[in-house]
Amino acid sequence: MLPVSIFIIAKNEADRIGETIRAVRDLTDDLIVVDSGSTDGTQAIAEELGARVIFNAWPGYGPQKRFAEEQCRHDWLLNLDADEVVPPRLAAEIRALFAQGEPPCQAYRTRIAEVFPGEVAPHPLAYALAPVRLYRKDRGRYSPSLVHDRVDLAPGTAVGTLRGTIHHRSVRSLGDQISKLNRYSDQQAVDLEIRGVSIPTWRIFFELPAAFLKAYIGRRHALRGTYGFLTAMNYAISRHLRLAKHYERKRLKALKDSAPGPDA
């Protein structure tokens, strides 16, 4: 076992979390699942596979991952989402990283690429993010943001990059993807308000086509055929919804602030 704690946040992931846990349970003696109220048996599946399951009511992405960090026993942490799978090549790379003792860097970026329904692995040229997912707890912590899923590192932290790729099975179906992105756009609109960010209204008229091109061309969804076109459309709709809800919240606040008081 490696001196690494692995933590996963989850809610209603019974159809996916088993594969996620089985891929990494031989790497650690400290595997934590923080569940925010699953009703589909996610907790039982995780426990049967050796995870330590802890309930925490949903406070937002960043706060939930920070809570999970606090439950970990080891100094090194590996974070996975419940719909992500570490393939054998990446698991072997992580194991080799600790074979000679303490790794040379204090944090490591890891490529994450989507696997669409019907695929067994990401397209060889698929677009991939490369966030920090493996890191020392004393050198980095998850941002407290409700929506921004990132590790904030201490100044001077040495950061390496792993060669392997996490397989991200984020899309159950196109309908489920729309529901998920719709919920996320609610949180994004709230986050913009909390941070005092005001996006100009003119962007509403251009956000959807610009976001579609970003996903279809920039993120190479075009390589995935018709399904890639459809997922790019869903992404564009979600970005439009983010701005639409942001505009609506600003409009309602302005109307409320301009309304005459009870003594007017």
Side-chain angles (χ1 to χ4, degrees):
M1 296 295 181
L2 303 181
V4 177
S5 294
I6 299 175
F7 69 92
I8 302 165
I9 65 171
K11 183 178 181 181
N12 291 335
E13 294 285 355
D15 58 328
R16 300 190 287 196
I17 198 167
E19 187 177 359
T20 300
I21 292 174
R22 280 189 287 269
V24 295
R25 62 179 176 178
D26 291 338
L27 294 177
T28 183
D29 61 359
D30 189 36
L31 200 159
I32 301 99
V33 171
V34 175
D35 186 88
S36 54
S38 293
T39 57
D40 65 348
T42 294
Q43 306 94 321
I45 293 171
E47 288 176 343
E48 288 171 5
L49 293 172
R52 179 160 49 99
V53 178
I54 302 166
F55 169 77
N56 194 54
W58 181 251
Y61 285 94
Q64 189 76 329
K65 291 197 173 186
R66 288 176 73 90
F67 174 84
E69 288 172 330
E70 292 299 330
Q71 315 311 310
C72 296
R73 295 199 301 261
H74 294 299
D75 293 332
W76 277 92
L77 308 180
L78 173 63
N79 172 234
L80 297 170
D81 287 341
D83 57 0
E84 295 175 344
V85 175
V86 172
R89 175 185 171 187
L90 178 56
E93 184 180 1
I94 293 172
R95 190 178 294 281
L97 194 64
F98 290 86
Q100 305 301 321
E102 186 72 5
C105 298
Q106 294 94 48
Y108 288 86
R109 300 188 182 279
T110 310
R111 285 169 45 86
I112 303 173
E114 283 191 303
V115 179
F116 290 154
E119 297 177 340
V120 297
H123 188 284
L125 299 178
Y127 173 82
L129 299 170
V132 168
R133 286 299 190 86
L134 177 66
Y135 57 101
R136 282 189 60 93
K137 187 163 54 175
D138 58 357
R139 301 300 298 172
R141 295 291 305 277
Y142 263 91
S143 163
S145 168
L146 299 179
V147 297
H148 295 294
D149 189 2
R150 68 172 185 269
V151 176
D152 291 334
L153 297 173
T157 300
V159 182
T161 301
L162 298 175
R163 295 186 300 275
T165 300
I166 292 172
H167 294 182
H168 187 198
R169 301 159 300 141
S170 65
V171 181
R172 286 187 174 103
S173 68
L174 294 172
D176 181 72
Q177 184 187 34
I178 279 288
S179 297
K180 177 182 176 180
L181 292 172
N182 183 46
R183 293 192 301 270
Y184 189 57
S185 67
D186 287 337
Q187 297 175 18
Q188 288 176 314
V190 172
D191 180 69
L192 289 171
E193 185 174 315
I194 290 173
R195 294 188 290 124
V197 175
S198 180
I199 298 175
T201 300
W202 62 261
R203 276 189 51 180
I204 291 174
F205 301 95
F206 303 97
E207 191 76 3
L208 193 149
F212 172 78
L213 291 174
K214 177 181 178 180
Y216 193 63
I217 305 299
R219 295 190 173 182
R220 301 193 283 278
H221 284 224
L223 298 172
R224 320 293 270 275
T226 302
Y227 209 87
F229 175 87
L230 295 171
T231 55
M233 282 295 295
N234 278 1
Y235 173 78
I237 291 168
S238 76
R239 299 298 287 179
H240 164 75
L241 286 174
R242 178 186 74 117
L243 287 195
K245 292 172 183 179
H246 173 60
Y247 165 77
E248 184 177 54
R249 293 179 72 90
K250 288 197 302 179
R251 178 177 178 272
L252 293 177
K253 184 177 185 302
L255 291 173
K256 180 179 178 180
D257 292 344
S258 64
D263 298 328

